[in-house]
Amino acid sequence: MGVECTVPSPCVSLCTLDDSDICVGCHRSVDEIVRWRQMDDDERRGVLLLAQERSHHYKPFTSG
């Protein structure tokens, strides 16, 4: 049996990728989204921290 995970997905059902392949809804990378189910809670928390950091710098209407 697999590891029981309690950290929920940050998906907000706004699944669109920007030019850097980051989801504009949850700010996870494609790889992070694909691997989410295989991650343990520590890995998921790390991804959530990265996504939070990305969200602070997200500027949807500017290039670069």
Side-chain angles (χ1 to χ4, degrees):
M1 219 162 176
V3 175
E4 184 72 24
C5 292
T6 58
V7 176
S9 170
C11 181
V12 294
S13 298
L14 183 61
C15 306
T16 303
L17 300 177
D18 68 10
D19 291 339
S20 299
D21 286 338
I22 300 295
C23 177
V24 301
C26 67
H27 304 287
R28 292 180 293 168
S29 70
V30 172
D31 181 61
E32 292 162 347
I33 293 167
V34 170
R35 292 186 315 105
W36 186 260
R37 289 180 178 236
Q38 287 76 42
M39 293 179 185
D40 63 25
D41 279 346
D42 286 337
E43 291 173 296
R44 289 178 177 190
R45 285 185 196 97
V47 168
L48 292 177
L49 288 173
L50 289 171
Q52 182 179 30
E53 181 65 24
R54 289 180 192 126
S55 74
H56 293 309
H57 300 288
Y58 184 63
K59 295 177 176 74
F61 302 109
T62 61
S63 60

